Short mmCIF file of all heavy atoms in Angstrom, two decimals:
data_model
loop_
_atom_site.label_atom_id
_atom_site.label_comp_id
_atom_site.label_asym_id
_atom_site.label_seq_id
_atom_site.Cartn_x
_atom_site.Cartn_y
_atom_site.Cartn_z
N PHE A 59 46.86 106.92 35.16
CA PHE A 59 47.53 105.76 34.58
C PHE A 59 46.99 104.47 35.16
O PHE A 59 46.73 103.50 34.44
CB PHE A 59 49.04 105.84 34.81
CG PHE A 59 49.76 104.64 34.25
CD1 PHE A 59 50.05 104.59 32.89
CD2 PHE A 59 50.08 103.56 35.05
CE1 PHE A 59 50.68 103.49 32.35
CE2 PHE A 59 50.71 102.45 34.51
CZ PHE A 59 51.01 102.41 33.16
N VAL A 65 49.12 107.44 29.76
CA VAL A 65 50.00 108.40 30.39
C VAL A 65 49.63 109.79 29.91
O VAL A 65 49.67 110.09 28.73
CB VAL A 65 51.47 108.13 30.05
CG1 VAL A 65 52.35 109.16 30.73
CG2 VAL A 65 51.84 106.75 30.48
N PHE A 67 50.58 113.05 29.32
CA PHE A 67 51.75 113.92 29.22
C PHE A 67 51.37 115.40 29.39
O PHE A 67 52.23 116.23 29.59
CB PHE A 67 52.46 113.73 27.88
CG PHE A 67 53.41 112.57 27.88
CD1 PHE A 67 52.95 111.29 27.60
CD2 PHE A 67 54.74 112.75 28.17
CE1 PHE A 67 53.82 110.21 27.60
CE2 PHE A 67 55.62 111.67 28.17
CZ PHE A 67 55.15 110.40 27.88
N PHE A 112 39.12 114.71 23.04
CA PHE A 112 40.40 114.43 22.40
C PHE A 112 41.01 113.11 22.86
O PHE A 112 41.18 112.18 22.09
CB PHE A 112 41.38 115.58 22.63
CG PHE A 112 40.90 116.87 22.04
CD1 PHE A 112 40.21 117.80 22.82
CD2 PHE A 112 41.08 117.14 20.70
CE1 PHE A 112 39.75 118.98 22.27
CE2 PHE A 112 40.62 118.31 20.14
CZ PHE A 112 39.95 119.23 20.93
N LYS A 115 39.40 109.69 22.20
CA LYS A 115 39.39 109.22 20.82
C LYS A 115 40.57 108.31 20.51
O LYS A 115 40.57 107.63 19.49
CB LYS A 115 39.42 110.41 19.84
CG LYS A 115 38.40 111.48 20.13
CD LYS A 115 37.01 111.05 19.68
CE LYS A 115 36.03 112.18 19.87
NZ LYS A 115 34.74 111.72 20.41
N VAL A 116 41.61 108.37 21.32
CA VAL A 116 42.80 107.58 21.01
C VAL A 116 43.10 106.52 22.09
O VAL A 116 44.19 105.97 22.12
CB VAL A 116 44.06 108.49 20.82
CG1 VAL A 116 43.97 109.23 19.51
CG2 VAL A 116 44.24 109.45 21.97
N SER A 119 44.01 103.39 20.32
CA SER A 119 45.18 103.41 19.46
C SER A 119 46.43 103.07 20.25
O SER A 119 46.38 102.89 21.47
CB SER A 119 45.36 104.79 18.83
OG SER A 119 44.15 105.32 18.42
N VAL A 121 50.22 103.70 21.88
CA VAL A 121 50.69 104.72 22.80
C VAL A 121 51.24 105.94 22.05
O VAL A 121 51.19 107.06 22.55
CB VAL A 121 51.73 104.13 23.78
CG1 VAL A 121 52.97 103.68 23.04
CG2 VAL A 121 52.11 105.11 24.86
N LEU A 122 51.72 105.72 20.83
CA LEU A 122 52.30 106.84 20.07
C LEU A 122 51.25 107.89 19.75
O LEU A 122 51.51 109.09 19.80
CB LEU A 122 52.93 106.32 18.78
CG LEU A 122 54.21 105.52 18.96
CD1 LEU A 122 54.56 104.78 17.71
CD2 LEU A 122 55.34 106.43 19.38
N MET A 123 50.03 107.44 19.40
CA MET A 123 48.95 108.38 19.09
C MET A 123 48.59 109.19 20.34
O MET A 123 48.37 110.40 20.27
CB MET A 123 47.71 107.64 18.60
CG MET A 123 47.78 107.24 17.15
SD MET A 123 47.87 108.69 16.07
CE MET A 123 48.06 107.90 14.49
N LEU A 125 50.53 109.82 22.79
CA LEU A 125 51.65 110.73 22.99
C LEU A 125 51.53 111.96 22.11
O LEU A 125 51.75 113.09 22.55
CB LEU A 125 52.92 109.98 22.62
CG LEU A 125 54.00 109.95 23.66
CD1 LEU A 125 54.86 108.73 23.48
CD2 LEU A 125 54.81 111.18 23.57
N LEU A 126 51.15 111.73 20.85
CA LEU A 126 51.04 112.84 19.90
C LEU A 126 49.96 113.83 20.33
O LEU A 126 50.16 115.03 20.28
CB LEU A 126 50.73 112.32 18.50
CG LEU A 126 51.92 111.90 17.63
CD1 LEU A 126 51.45 111.55 16.24
CD2 LEU A 126 52.97 112.98 17.59
N VAL A 127 48.80 113.30 20.75
CA VAL A 127 47.72 114.19 21.18
C VAL A 127 48.19 115.04 22.36
O VAL A 127 47.98 116.26 22.40
CB VAL A 127 46.46 113.37 21.56
CG1 VAL A 127 45.43 114.27 22.22
CG2 VAL A 127 45.87 112.71 20.32
N TYR A 129 51.33 115.74 23.16
CA TYR A 129 52.38 116.63 22.66
C TYR A 129 51.76 117.86 22.02
O TYR A 129 52.18 119.00 22.28
CB TYR A 129 53.24 115.84 21.66
CG TYR A 129 54.30 116.63 20.93
CD1 TYR A 129 55.17 117.47 21.62
CD2 TYR A 129 54.45 116.50 19.56
CE1 TYR A 129 56.15 118.17 20.94
CE2 TYR A 129 55.43 117.20 18.87
CZ TYR A 129 56.28 118.04 19.57
OH TYR A 129 57.23 118.73 18.89
N ALA A 130 50.72 117.64 21.20
CA ALA A 130 50.02 118.75 20.55
C ALA A 130 49.47 119.72 21.59
O ALA A 130 49.62 120.94 21.46
CB ALA A 130 48.89 118.22 19.67
N PHE A 131 48.87 119.17 22.65
CA PHE A 131 48.28 120.05 23.66
C PHE A 131 49.35 120.80 24.46
O PHE A 131 49.13 121.95 24.85
CB PHE A 131 47.35 119.26 24.59
CG PHE A 131 45.93 119.33 24.14
CD1 PHE A 131 45.43 118.40 23.24
CD2 PHE A 131 45.11 120.36 24.55
CE1 PHE A 131 44.14 118.48 22.79
CE2 PHE A 131 43.82 120.45 24.11
CZ PHE A 131 43.33 119.51 23.21
N ILE A 132 50.48 120.16 24.71
CA ILE A 132 51.56 120.87 25.40
C ILE A 132 51.99 122.08 24.57
O ILE A 132 52.11 123.20 25.08
CB ILE A 132 52.76 119.93 25.65
CG1 ILE A 132 52.36 118.81 26.60
CG2 ILE A 132 53.92 120.72 26.25
CD1 ILE A 132 53.46 117.78 26.80
N LEU A 133 52.18 121.86 23.26
CA LEU A 133 52.58 122.96 22.39
C LEU A 133 51.53 124.06 22.37
O LEU A 133 51.84 125.25 22.51
CB LEU A 133 52.79 122.44 20.96
CG LEU A 133 53.99 121.53 20.71
CD1 LEU A 133 53.98 121.04 19.27
CD2 LEU A 133 55.29 122.24 21.00
N ILE A 134 50.27 123.65 22.22
CA ILE A 134 49.19 124.63 22.12
C ILE A 134 49.05 125.42 23.42
O ILE A 134 48.98 126.65 23.41
CB ILE A 134 47.85 123.93 21.78
CG1 ILE A 134 47.91 123.37 20.35
CG2 ILE A 134 46.67 124.89 21.95
CD1 ILE A 134 46.72 122.52 19.97
N ASP A 137 51.89 127.87 24.05
CA ASP A 137 51.76 129.04 23.20
C ASP A 137 50.58 129.92 23.64
O ASP A 137 50.68 131.14 23.65
CB ASP A 137 51.57 128.61 21.74
CG ASP A 137 52.59 129.27 20.83
OD1 ASP A 137 53.57 129.82 21.36
OD2 ASP A 137 52.42 129.24 19.61
N ALA A 138 49.49 129.26 24.02
CA ALA A 138 48.31 130.01 24.46
C ALA A 138 48.64 130.84 25.69
O ALA A 138 48.24 132.01 25.79
CB ALA A 138 47.15 129.05 24.76
N ILE A 141 50.49 133.83 24.64
CA ILE A 141 49.64 134.82 23.98
C ILE A 141 48.79 135.55 25.01
O ILE A 141 48.67 136.78 25.00
CB ILE A 141 48.73 134.15 22.93
CG1 ILE A 141 49.60 133.57 21.80
CG2 ILE A 141 47.71 135.13 22.38
CD1 ILE A 141 48.85 132.65 20.87
N PHE A 250 56.29 121.61 31.99
CA PHE A 250 57.07 120.45 31.60
C PHE A 250 58.03 119.99 32.68
O PHE A 250 58.22 118.80 32.88
CB PHE A 250 57.84 120.71 30.30
CG PHE A 250 58.22 119.44 29.63
CD1 PHE A 250 57.26 118.72 28.92
CD2 PHE A 250 59.48 118.93 29.73
CE1 PHE A 250 57.57 117.52 28.33
CE2 PHE A 250 59.81 117.72 29.14
CZ PHE A 250 58.85 117.02 28.43
N ILE A 254 58.11 116.19 34.34
CA ILE A 254 59.26 115.29 34.45
C ILE A 254 59.43 114.83 35.90
O ILE A 254 59.64 113.65 36.18
CB ILE A 254 60.55 116.00 33.96
CG1 ILE A 254 60.43 116.36 32.48
CG2 ILE A 254 61.77 115.12 34.18
CD1 ILE A 254 60.46 115.20 31.56
N PHE A 257 56.88 112.29 36.71
CA PHE A 257 57.27 110.99 36.15
C PHE A 257 58.24 110.29 37.08
O PHE A 257 58.07 109.11 37.40
CB PHE A 257 57.95 111.17 34.80
CG PHE A 257 56.99 111.39 33.68
CD1 PHE A 257 57.42 111.90 32.47
CD2 PHE A 257 55.65 111.08 33.82
CE1 PHE A 257 56.54 112.12 31.43
CE2 PHE A 257 54.76 111.29 32.79
CZ PHE A 257 55.21 111.81 31.59
N THR A 260 56.42 109.01 40.10
CA THR A 260 55.58 107.82 39.88
C THR A 260 56.45 106.61 39.60
O THR A 260 56.09 105.50 39.98
CB THR A 260 54.59 108.03 38.72
OG1 THR A 260 55.30 108.62 37.64
CG2 THR A 260 53.46 108.92 39.11
N VAL A 261 57.57 106.80 38.93
CA VAL A 261 58.44 105.66 38.66
C VAL A 261 59.08 105.17 39.96
O VAL A 261 59.14 103.98 40.23
CB VAL A 261 59.51 106.02 37.62
CG1 VAL A 261 60.55 104.93 37.51
CG2 VAL A 261 58.88 106.26 36.26
N MET A 265 54.13 102.96 39.37
CA MET A 265 53.03 103.52 38.59
C MET A 265 51.70 102.98 39.10
O MET A 265 51.56 101.78 39.30
CB MET A 265 53.18 103.14 37.11
CG MET A 265 54.29 103.84 36.39
SD MET A 265 53.96 105.56 36.12
CE MET A 265 52.83 105.47 34.76
N LEU A 291 74.50 122.61 41.65
CA LEU A 291 74.36 122.54 40.19
C LEU A 291 73.86 121.19 39.73
O LEU A 291 73.59 120.99 38.56
CB LEU A 291 75.72 122.82 39.53
CG LEU A 291 76.12 124.29 39.51
CD1 LEU A 291 77.50 124.47 38.91
CD2 LEU A 291 75.10 125.12 38.75
N GLU A 294 69.03 118.38 39.77
CA GLU A 294 68.26 117.56 38.83
C GLU A 294 68.93 116.19 38.70
O GLU A 294 68.26 115.16 38.72
CB GLU A 294 68.26 118.21 37.45
CG GLU A 294 67.95 119.69 37.47
CD GLU A 294 66.50 119.94 37.15
OE1 GLU A 294 66.02 119.35 36.18
OE2 GLU A 294 65.85 120.70 37.88
N GLY A 295 70.24 116.22 38.55
CA GLY A 295 70.99 114.99 38.39
C GLY A 295 70.76 114.04 39.56
O GLY A 295 70.61 112.84 39.38
N PHE A 298 67.51 112.15 39.14
CA PHE A 298 67.61 111.08 38.14
C PHE A 298 68.44 109.92 38.68
O PHE A 298 68.14 108.76 38.42
CB PHE A 298 68.23 111.62 36.85
CG PHE A 298 67.36 112.61 36.15
CD1 PHE A 298 67.73 113.93 36.03
CD2 PHE A 298 66.14 112.21 35.63
CE1 PHE A 298 66.93 114.84 35.40
CE2 PHE A 298 65.32 113.12 34.98
CZ PHE A 298 65.71 114.44 34.88
N MET A 301 66.35 107.92 40.95
CA MET A 301 65.43 107.11 40.16
C MET A 301 66.15 105.91 39.56
O MET A 301 65.66 104.78 39.61
CB MET A 301 64.80 107.95 39.06
CG MET A 301 63.88 107.14 38.18
SD MET A 301 63.03 108.14 36.96
CE MET A 301 64.30 108.33 35.76
N LEU A 305 65.25 102.05 40.22
CA LEU A 305 64.82 101.23 39.11
C LEU A 305 65.67 99.98 38.95
O LEU A 305 65.19 98.92 38.59
CB LEU A 305 64.86 102.03 37.82
CG LEU A 305 63.67 102.92 37.59
CD1 LEU A 305 63.83 103.72 36.33
CD2 LEU A 305 62.39 102.10 37.54
N PRO A 309 62.62 97.39 39.75
CA PRO A 309 62.11 98.01 38.52
C PRO A 309 60.65 98.45 38.60
O PRO A 309 60.25 99.36 37.89
CB PRO A 309 62.28 96.92 37.47
CG PRO A 309 63.36 96.05 38.00
CD PRO A 309 63.23 96.09 39.49
N VAL B 60 61.44 102.27 17.50
CA VAL B 60 59.98 102.30 17.66
C VAL B 60 59.32 101.31 16.71
O VAL B 60 58.54 100.44 17.12
CB VAL B 60 59.43 103.72 17.40
CG1 VAL B 60 57.91 103.72 17.49
CG2 VAL B 60 60.02 104.70 18.40
N VAL B 66 59.45 102.15 22.44
CA VAL B 66 59.05 103.53 22.24
C VAL B 66 59.93 104.45 23.08
O VAL B 66 59.64 104.73 24.23
CB VAL B 66 57.56 103.74 22.58
CG1 VAL B 66 57.17 105.18 22.33
CG2 VAL B 66 56.71 102.80 21.77
N PHE B 68 61.23 107.91 24.18
CA PHE B 68 60.79 109.29 24.10
C PHE B 68 61.95 110.21 24.41
O PHE B 68 61.77 111.38 24.69
CB PHE B 68 59.60 109.55 25.02
CG PHE B 68 58.82 110.77 24.64
CD1 PHE B 68 58.43 110.97 23.32
CD2 PHE B 68 58.50 111.73 25.57
CE1 PHE B 68 57.74 112.10 22.97
CE2 PHE B 68 57.80 112.87 25.21
CZ PHE B 68 57.42 113.06 23.91
N LEU B 117 63.57 98.13 31.64
CA LEU B 117 62.20 98.54 31.91
C LEU B 117 61.34 98.30 30.69
O LEU B 117 61.77 98.46 29.55
CB LEU B 117 62.16 100.01 32.28
CG LEU B 117 63.05 100.34 33.45
CD1 LEU B 117 63.12 101.82 33.68
CD2 LEU B 117 62.54 99.63 34.67
N ILE B 120 55.88 101.60 28.95
CA ILE B 120 55.86 103.03 29.20
C ILE B 120 56.99 103.45 30.14
O ILE B 120 57.48 104.56 30.08
CB ILE B 120 54.48 103.46 29.75
CG1 ILE B 120 54.30 104.95 29.60
CG2 ILE B 120 54.28 103.01 31.17
CD1 ILE B 120 54.12 105.39 28.17
N TYR B 121 57.44 102.54 31.01
CA TYR B 121 58.56 102.86 31.89
C TYR B 121 59.81 103.15 31.07
O TYR B 121 60.61 104.00 31.41
CB TYR B 121 58.85 101.69 32.84
CG TYR B 121 57.81 101.48 33.89
CD1 TYR B 121 56.70 100.70 33.65
CD2 TYR B 121 57.95 102.07 35.14
CE1 TYR B 121 55.74 100.51 34.62
CE2 TYR B 121 57.00 101.88 36.12
CZ TYR B 121 55.89 101.10 35.85
OH TYR B 121 54.94 100.92 36.81
N PHE B 124 59.52 106.63 29.74
CA PHE B 124 59.80 107.59 30.80
C PHE B 124 61.29 107.76 31.04
O PHE B 124 61.80 108.87 31.12
CB PHE B 124 59.23 107.08 32.12
CG PHE B 124 57.81 107.40 32.31
CD1 PHE B 124 57.14 106.95 33.44
CD2 PHE B 124 57.12 108.15 31.39
CE1 PHE B 124 55.82 107.23 33.63
CE2 PHE B 124 55.79 108.43 31.57
CZ PHE B 124 55.14 107.97 32.70
N ILE B 125 61.95 106.62 31.21
CA ILE B 125 63.34 106.73 31.66
C ILE B 125 64.22 107.30 30.55
O ILE B 125 65.15 108.05 30.82
CB ILE B 125 63.88 105.40 32.22
CG1 ILE B 125 65.16 105.67 33.02
CG2 ILE B 125 64.11 104.39 31.14
CD1 ILE B 125 65.61 104.56 33.89
N LEU B 127 63.21 109.51 28.42
CA LEU B 127 62.93 110.94 28.49
C LEU B 127 63.68 111.57 29.66
O LEU B 127 64.26 112.65 29.54
CB LEU B 127 61.42 111.16 28.64
CG LEU B 127 60.96 112.60 28.83
CD1 LEU B 127 61.34 113.47 27.64
CD2 LEU B 127 59.45 112.66 29.04
N ALA B 128 63.69 110.87 30.79
CA ALA B 128 64.37 111.41 31.97
C ALA B 128 65.87 111.56 31.69
O ALA B 128 66.47 112.56 32.08
CB ALA B 128 64.15 110.49 33.17
N MET B 131 66.38 114.63 29.67
CA MET B 131 66.27 115.86 30.43
C MET B 131 67.48 116.05 31.35
O MET B 131 67.88 117.17 31.65
CB MET B 131 64.97 115.89 31.25
CG MET B 131 63.71 115.94 30.40
SD MET B 131 63.85 117.03 28.96
CE MET B 131 63.73 118.65 29.72
N LEU B 132 68.08 114.95 31.79
CA LEU B 132 69.31 115.04 32.58
C LEU B 132 70.42 115.65 31.73
O LEU B 132 71.14 116.55 32.17
CB LEU B 132 69.71 113.64 33.06
CG LEU B 132 71.04 113.55 33.83
CD1 LEU B 132 71.01 114.42 35.06
CD2 LEU B 132 71.33 112.11 34.24
N SER B 135 69.61 119.36 31.26
CA SER B 135 69.93 120.25 32.38
C SER B 135 71.44 120.35 32.57
O SER B 135 71.94 121.37 33.03
CB SER B 135 69.22 119.81 33.67
OG SER B 135 69.49 118.47 33.96
N ALA B 139 73.41 123.79 32.64
CA ALA B 139 74.14 124.18 33.85
C ALA B 139 75.65 124.30 33.62
O ALA B 139 76.31 125.11 34.26
CB ALA B 139 73.86 123.16 34.97
N TRP B 250 63.33 118.17 25.00
CA TRP B 250 62.35 117.10 24.76
C TRP B 250 61.57 117.32 23.47
O TRP B 250 61.09 116.36 22.86
CB TRP B 250 61.38 117.01 25.93
CG TRP B 250 60.52 118.24 26.08
CD1 TRP B 250 60.83 119.37 26.75
CD2 TRP B 250 59.25 118.47 25.50
NE1 TRP B 250 59.83 120.28 26.63
CE2 TRP B 250 58.84 119.77 25.89
CE3 TRP B 250 58.39 117.70 24.72
CZ2 TRP B 250 57.62 120.31 25.50
CZ3 TRP B 250 57.17 118.24 24.33
CH2 TRP B 250 56.80 119.53 24.72
N THR B 251 61.43 118.59 23.04
CA THR B 251 60.66 118.84 21.81
C THR B 251 61.28 118.12 20.62
O THR B 251 60.58 117.72 19.70
CB THR B 251 60.61 120.34 21.50
OG1 THR B 251 61.90 120.90 21.74
CG2 THR B 251 59.61 121.06 22.36
N GLY B 254 59.88 114.81 20.63
CA GLY B 254 58.48 114.91 20.20
C GLY B 254 58.40 115.03 18.69
O GLY B 254 57.59 114.35 18.04
N GLU B 255 59.26 115.88 18.13
CA GLU B 255 59.24 116.04 16.67
C GLU B 255 59.65 114.75 15.98
O GLU B 255 59.11 114.40 14.93
CB GLU B 255 60.17 117.19 16.25
CG GLU B 255 59.65 118.54 16.70
CD GLU B 255 60.17 119.69 15.84
OE1 GLU B 255 60.97 119.44 14.93
OE2 GLU B 255 59.76 120.83 16.10
N ILE B 257 59.13 111.69 17.03
CA ILE B 257 57.97 110.79 17.05
C ILE B 257 56.97 111.23 15.98
O ILE B 257 56.42 110.41 15.24
CB ILE B 257 57.29 110.81 18.44
CG1 ILE B 257 58.24 110.31 19.52
CG2 ILE B 257 56.00 110.03 18.42
CD1 ILE B 257 58.22 108.85 19.78
N PHE B 258 56.75 112.55 15.91
CA PHE B 258 55.77 113.04 14.94
C PHE B 258 56.23 112.74 13.51
O PHE B 258 55.42 112.36 12.67
CB PHE B 258 55.53 114.53 15.14
CG PHE B 258 54.41 115.07 14.29
CD1 PHE B 258 53.25 114.34 14.11
CD2 PHE B 258 54.50 116.32 13.69
CE1 PHE B 258 52.21 114.83 13.34
CE2 PHE B 258 53.47 116.81 12.91
CZ PHE B 258 52.32 116.07 12.73
N MET B 261 55.53 109.12 12.70
CA MET B 261 54.10 108.86 12.57
C MET B 261 53.55 109.48 11.29
O MET B 261 52.74 108.89 10.58
CB MET B 261 53.35 109.46 13.76
CG MET B 261 53.73 108.90 15.09
SD MET B 261 53.24 107.20 15.28
CE MET B 261 51.51 107.42 15.64
N LEU B 265 55.33 104.46 10.05
CA LEU B 265 56.43 103.68 10.60
C LEU B 265 56.44 102.25 10.11
O LEU B 265 57.26 101.45 10.52
CB LEU B 265 56.45 103.74 12.14
CG LEU B 265 55.18 103.62 12.94
CD1 LEU B 265 54.62 102.24 12.92
CD2 LEU B 265 55.46 104.06 14.37
N HIS B 291 53.13 132.21 16.17
CA HIS B 291 52.61 131.22 17.12
C HIS B 291 52.85 129.82 16.61
O HIS B 291 51.93 129.09 16.26
CB HIS B 291 51.13 131.47 17.39
CG HIS B 291 50.86 132.87 17.82
ND1 HIS B 291 51.49 133.42 18.92
CD2 HIS B 291 50.07 133.83 17.31
CE1 HIS B 291 51.08 134.67 19.06
NE2 HIS B 291 50.23 134.94 18.09
N HIS B 292 54.11 129.46 16.58
CA HIS B 292 54.52 128.19 16.00
C HIS B 292 53.87 127.01 16.71
O HIS B 292 53.32 126.11 16.08
CB HIS B 292 56.05 128.10 16.07
CG HIS B 292 56.59 126.88 15.44
ND1 HIS B 292 57.00 125.80 16.17
CD2 HIS B 292 56.80 126.55 14.14
CE1 HIS B 292 57.42 124.86 15.35
NE2 HIS B 292 57.32 125.29 14.12
N GLY B 293 53.92 127.03 18.05
CA GLY B 293 53.40 125.90 18.83
C GLY B 293 51.91 125.70 18.60
O GLY B 293 51.44 124.57 18.46
N LEU B 294 51.20 126.81 18.55
CA LEU B 294 49.75 126.75 18.39
C LEU B 294 49.37 126.07 17.07
O LEU B 294 48.55 125.15 17.04
CB LEU B 294 49.21 128.19 18.38
CG LEU B 294 47.80 128.43 18.86
CD1 LEU B 294 47.64 128.01 20.29
CD2 LEU B 294 47.44 129.90 18.70
N LEU B 296 51.42 124.26 14.95
CA LEU B 296 51.95 122.90 14.86
C LEU B 296 51.11 121.95 15.70
O LEU B 296 50.77 120.84 15.27
CB LEU B 296 53.41 122.85 15.30
CG LEU B 296 54.09 121.48 15.17
CD1 LEU B 296 54.11 121.04 13.72
CD2 LEU B 296 55.51 121.51 15.72
N GLY B 297 50.72 122.40 16.89
CA GLY B 297 49.88 121.59 17.76
C GLY B 297 48.57 121.23 17.08
O GLY B 297 48.12 120.08 17.12
N ALA B 298 47.96 122.22 16.44
CA ALA B 298 46.69 121.98 15.74
C ALA B 298 46.88 120.97 14.61
O ALA B 298 46.06 120.07 14.41
CB ALA B 298 46.14 123.30 15.20
N ILE B 300 49.16 118.64 14.45
CA ILE B 300 49.37 117.31 15.04
C ILE B 300 48.03 116.71 15.47
O ILE B 300 47.76 115.53 15.24
CB ILE B 300 50.32 117.41 16.27
CG1 ILE B 300 51.71 117.87 15.82
CG2 ILE B 300 50.42 116.07 16.97
CD1 ILE B 300 52.67 118.10 16.96
N LEU B 301 47.16 117.55 16.05
CA LEU B 301 45.85 117.06 16.47
C LEU B 301 45.05 116.56 15.27
O LEU B 301 44.43 115.49 15.32
CB LEU B 301 45.06 118.17 17.18
CG LEU B 301 45.31 118.33 18.66
CD1 LEU B 301 44.38 119.38 19.23
CD2 LEU B 301 45.12 117.01 19.40
N PHE B 303 46.18 115.44 12.57
CA PHE B 303 46.76 114.18 12.12
C PHE B 303 46.34 113.02 13.03
O PHE B 303 45.86 111.99 12.58
CB PHE B 303 48.29 114.29 12.09
CG PHE B 303 48.96 112.98 11.87
CD1 PHE B 303 49.02 112.44 10.58
CD2 PHE B 303 49.51 112.27 12.92
CE1 PHE B 303 49.62 111.20 10.38
CE2 PHE B 303 50.11 111.04 12.71
CZ PHE B 303 50.16 110.52 11.43
N ALA B 304 46.50 113.23 14.35
CA ALA B 304 46.28 112.13 15.29
C ALA B 304 44.80 111.74 15.37
O ALA B 304 44.48 110.57 15.55
CB ALA B 304 46.79 112.52 16.68
N LEU B 305 43.92 112.73 15.22
CA LEU B 305 42.50 112.42 15.35
C LEU B 305 41.83 112.21 14.00
O LEU B 305 40.80 111.56 13.90
CB LEU B 305 41.77 113.54 16.11
CG LEU B 305 42.31 113.78 17.52
CD1 LEU B 305 41.64 114.98 18.16
CD2 LEU B 305 42.14 112.56 18.40
N ARG B 308 45.36 109.65 11.17
CA ARG B 308 45.70 108.49 11.99
C ARG B 308 46.74 107.56 11.37
O ARG B 308 47.12 106.57 11.96
CB ARG B 308 44.45 107.65 12.32
CG ARG B 308 43.58 108.36 13.31
CD ARG B 308 42.24 107.72 13.46
NE ARG B 308 41.60 108.26 14.65
CZ ARG B 308 41.51 107.61 15.80
NH1 ARG B 308 41.98 106.40 15.92
NH2 ARG B 308 40.94 108.17 16.84
#
Side-chain angles (χ1 to χ4, degrees):
Chain A
F59 179 81
V65 180
F67 277 85
F112 298 96
K115 310 283 185 222
V116 287
S119 319
V121 64
L122 289 166
M123 280 297 176
L125 234 154
L126 274 186
V127 171
Y129 174 48
F131 265 89
I132 296 175
L133 290 176
I134 292 173
D137 234 15
I141 295 168
F250 201 77
I254 297 290
F257 280 163
T260 46
V261 171
M265 289 289 283
L291 284 177
E294 313 262 313
F298 293 114
M301 177 175 79
L305 278 178
Chain B
V60 177
V66 181
F68 200 49
L117 304 173
I120 198 71
Y121 289 87
F124 276 177
I125 196 165
L127 176 61
M131 294 320 285
L132 176 59
S135 54
W250 65 274
T251 42
E255 292 205 358
I257 298 270
F258 187 40
M261 298 292 281
L265 43 72
H291 306 304
H292 183 259
L294 208 61
L296 183 62
I300 296 175
L301 274 185
F303 170 79
L305 301 175
R308 288 169 166 256

